[in-house]
Amino acid sequence: MNNDRHLFSLNRRQILPALAGVAVLAGVQGARSADQPTQSRPAPTRDDILIRGASILTMDPQNPIFERGDILIRSGRIAAVDHSIDAPDAEVIDASDLIALPGFVNAHIHLWQSAMAGIAGDWSLDQYVQRILGGIGPHISAEDLYLANLAGCFEQVSAGTTTVFDYCHAINTPAHADRAVDALLESGVRSVFGYGPPGDWDWYADPNRDHPEDAARLRKERLSSDSGLVRMALAIRGPDESTLPATTRDIAMARRLGVIVTMHTGWGTVGPKNKAARQLADAGLLGPDINLVHANSFTASEYKAVVDSGATITVTPEVEMQMGMGFPATGHVRLAGGRPAVGTDIPTNVGPDMTTQIRIALQMQRALDNDRLLREGQDPKELTITVHEALEWATMAGARALGLDREIGSITKGKAADIQLIRKSPRDLGQAQNPAESVVFYSTAAQVESVFVNGKAQKWQGRLVNSAAHGLRDRLLQSGQRLIEQGLEKK
Ligand SMILES: [Zn+2]
């Protein structure tokens, strides 16, 4: 990827549709689809809540589906899941028209790009890197980062995601890191903050440079807890964007700080040349605290080495397919005995909902698997992957990638009450027969009725609860407009 900043520019005609995208994003705070009920009651405030009569997709292998069941929440945790629960002291939510499932885990997103939705839909990876990291990234202020992270979190929770991994590679000053974390904390969403490099492609010019030392300050001063709603991680460059010695030092830093570490790997033509997984395996660096994003071009033995080490792989299907990164690694990860986590990746051209990403990952992998048989002259007699498994990618596999699988990812007694309620009846389509298919194939954010994080309503009857969402729209619009003009137009 060359670093010629003069290769690109967007004119005003190109920018106006981009800003329309910003408006769409900003509108989420008041979003409510027309077919939702007009009668509303206040969001539950009690510590004890009984979700009654829902179709439950627990994503817990011990007890995966209740056709009709109750969930008892006590003080933010799941106290019981059963066919019928008697809890006279609890505040009751009638969920007879709803499907309950764990909140999604978005295992890879760059929230800092949330004010610039709709600018990158025609870009290749090379154009994206030059325009975002070469063009816009250096102009991101700490306040831009705060606004984008806050709005991005609200978009996520509105679409049923309760945990985000924020790969933040726009930390131009320590104040940027602090404001990004401020937004995550204020959002009410569970998150892992991946402390990354500055948002300037020039920073990548020295591949032997160490990760910013300020990450240690943030860990000590702001994110020292390993049980809070916002946790810390390192988002490093890794072997495909830096030298192996630099990667080794960066991973050592993460382990010194006691946090997980993530990196982009194995995409495009860079992947097969650099062999990031092989480098990491040979250096003895793989382990359960390592998360590799994309991983499109590993060999079968490299996928196996990654999975066997306990390291995880996150796919971001829509971005990978558009930008020339290669086919999503979904099938390879499965063959190696693992399950992929899934992320939406870049808000500059991908919508917030995880159902779109798992639907794309599922159907693309089915197409590849079916095609293999067709090429051998056989019609597929059955499909290779179930819809229910695709939901697992967006819940348990994501939780595992973030080191949070003992706390979230399934509706299991003792876990945090991170739960979403999705309407059974998609608009104008009647009721889908199978709750997993209803969620994966028919749902968007518009069908997400209510979302709880730690048992606290963040979206209730179609509306965001957090008052911080109010008044964001204009500030976000201004931020996006300024960044696009400074970063792209005035090059
Ligand atoms: Zn990414």
Side-chain angles (χ1 to χ4, degrees):
M1 287 170 262
N2 71 51
N3 190 28
D4 185 350
R5 289 173 165 201
H6 305 288
L7 281 177
F8 61 89
S9 64
L10 283 191
N11 60 33
R12 183 156 290 278
R13 194 170 50 81
Q14 290 168 301
I15 287 173
L16 286 175
L19 292 177
V22 174
V24 169
L25 174 128
V28 72
Q29 65 203 60
R32 185 179 183 83
S33 55
D35 62 330
Q36 286 176 324
T38 50
Q39 279 189 333
S40 63
R41 49 175 277 199
T45 53
R46 301 254 290 272
D47 276 354
D48 296 353
I49 297 169
L50 182 65
I51 297 172
R52 175 170 282 163
S55 292
I56 307 174
L57 298 163
T58 68
M59 306 317 296
D60 181 335
Q62 300 300 320
N63 220 344
I65 298 171
F66 289 83
E67 273 186 40
R68 188 177 169 82
D70 297 350
I71 303 167
L72 180 62
I73 300 169
R74 287 200 191 280
S75 301
R77 305 204 83 80
I78 296 162
V81 190
D82 214 328
H83 296 286
S84 178
I85 297 171
D86 190 27
D89 54 334
E91 190 167 352
V92 175
I93 296 171
D94 175 7
S96 50
D97 290 329
L98 301 170
I99 299 164
L101 70 157
F104 290 131
V105 179
N106 186 343
H108 186 78
I109 184 170
H110 305 289
L111 286 172
W112 65 271
Q113 297 170 17
S114 297
M116 298 169 286
I119 62 171
D122 291 328
W123 293 358
S124 67
L125 181 63
D126 193 54
Q127 290 169 318
Y128 165 82
V129 168
Q130 290 182 46
R131 293 170 182 177
I132 291 290
L133 291 181
I136 289 171
H139 296 285
I140 294 276
S141 70
E143 210 53 26
D144 292 323
L145 193 45
Y146 168 81
L147 289 171
N149 269 27
L150 196 57
C153 280
F154 289 143
E155 270 204 323
Q156 286 297 310
V157 80
S158 187
T161 291
T162 50
T163 301
V164 296
F165 185 101
D166 178 27
Y167 188 117
C168 189
H169 51 346
I171 304 181
N172 296 334
T173 70
H176 284 65
D178 282 313
R179 290 301 277 156
V181 169
D182 287 344
L184 296 177
L185 287 166
E186 286 176 34
S187 74
V189 177
R190 189 181 303 280
S191 60
V192 179
F193 179 65
Y195 194 116
D200 187 339
W201 191 236
D202 287 348
W203 200 88
Y204 292 73
D206 179 1
N208 206 37
R209 197 168 184 168
D210 287 352
H211 203 70
E213 190 55 40
D214 182 58
R217 192 255 328 157
L218 194 83
R219 170 70 166 156
K220 186 162 178 260
E221 294 181 3
R222 301 288 309 274
L223 298 177
S224 59
S225 169
D226 292 324
S227 59
L229 205 58
V230 182
R231 316 274 175 98
M232 169 121 179
L234 285 198
I236 68 170
R237 291 178 297 173
D240 283 346
E241 297 170 357
S242 66
T243 63
L244 184 63
T247 297
T248 305
R249 293 193 298 274
D250 292 349
I251 291 175
M253 181 190 198
R255 288 176 175 163
R256 202 165 56 242
L257 298 179
V259 299
I260 64 166
V261 57
T262 188
M263 62 202 86
H264 299 111
T265 55
W267 71 88
T269 58
V270 173
K273 281 186 210 145
N274 280 2
K275 296 193 170 299
R278 179 53 48 208
Q279 289 194 55
L280 293 167
D282 289 349
L285 292 169
L286 291 173
D289 56 346
I290 302 283
N291 172 251
L292 305 179
V293 182
H294 305 314
N296 308 87
S297 61
F298 296 172
T299 64
S301 67
E302 289 164 353
Y303 286 114
K304 188 98 175 68
V306 172
V307 171
D308 287 351
S309 76
T312 54
I313 289 174
T314 299
V315 299
T316 67
E318 198 169 358
V319 166
E320 292 166 7
M321 290 166 71
Q322 174 189 319
M323 292 194 162
M325 300 166 87
F327 284 110
T330 312
H332 296 296
V333 179
R334 297 181 77 249
L335 278 177
R339 291 288 183 266
V342 178
T344 55
D345 207 349
I346 53 173
T348 38
N349 69 316
V350 174
D353 62 292
M354 287 286 290
T355 49
T356 299
Q357 298 309 311
I358 57 174
R359 189 158 63 235
I360 290 174
L362 173 66
Q363 302 294 46
M364 194 226 63
Q365 192 56 48
R366 283 171 162 178
L368 286 174
D369 295 344
N370 291 339
D371 188 58
R372 200 165 299 120
L373 288 174
L374 294 175
R375 285 170 188 274
E376 293 168 4
Q378 301 177 55
D379 287 311
K381 298 286 184 267
E382 56 188 19
L383 299 181
T384 50
I385 312 173
T386 65
V387 176
H388 194 270
E389 185 190 311
L391 279 175
E392 187 189 332
W393 306 338
T395 52
M396 277 309 295
R400 206 171 296 121
L402 274 49
L404 297 174
D405 47 311
R406 278 188 289 193
E407 297 167 60
I408 59 166
S410 64
I411 298 180
T412 301
K413 184 179 176 183
K415 284 194 173 182
D418 289 9
I419 295 169
Q420 57 175 320
L421 300 174
I422 296 183
R423 281 183 291 127
K424 277 183 188 172
S425 308
R427 188 176 185 181
D428 298 334
L429 284 175
Q431 186 168 320
Q433 298 294 321
N434 174 310
E437 294 191 23
S438 183
V439 173
V440 175
F441 292 132
Y442 297 95
S443 297
T444 66
Q447 278 76 44
V448 177
E449 177 81 3
S450 299
V451 181
F452 298 84
V453 178
N454 268 350
K456 192 166 184 294
Q458 299 296 332
K459 184 180 187 183
W460 176 248
Q461 295 188 332
R463 292 186 185 278
L464 291 171
V465 172
N466 194 326
S467 61
H470 306 146
L472 256 187
R473 181 192 177 94
D474 289 346
R475 292 156 71 200
L476 194 71
L477 270 169
Q478 287 165 11
S479 168
Q481 182 170 9
R482 184 181 59 73
L483 288 169
I484 288 166
E485 289 184 353
Q486 288 184 345
L488 298 180
E489 197 178 45
K490 296 178 183 171
K491 296 308 295 180

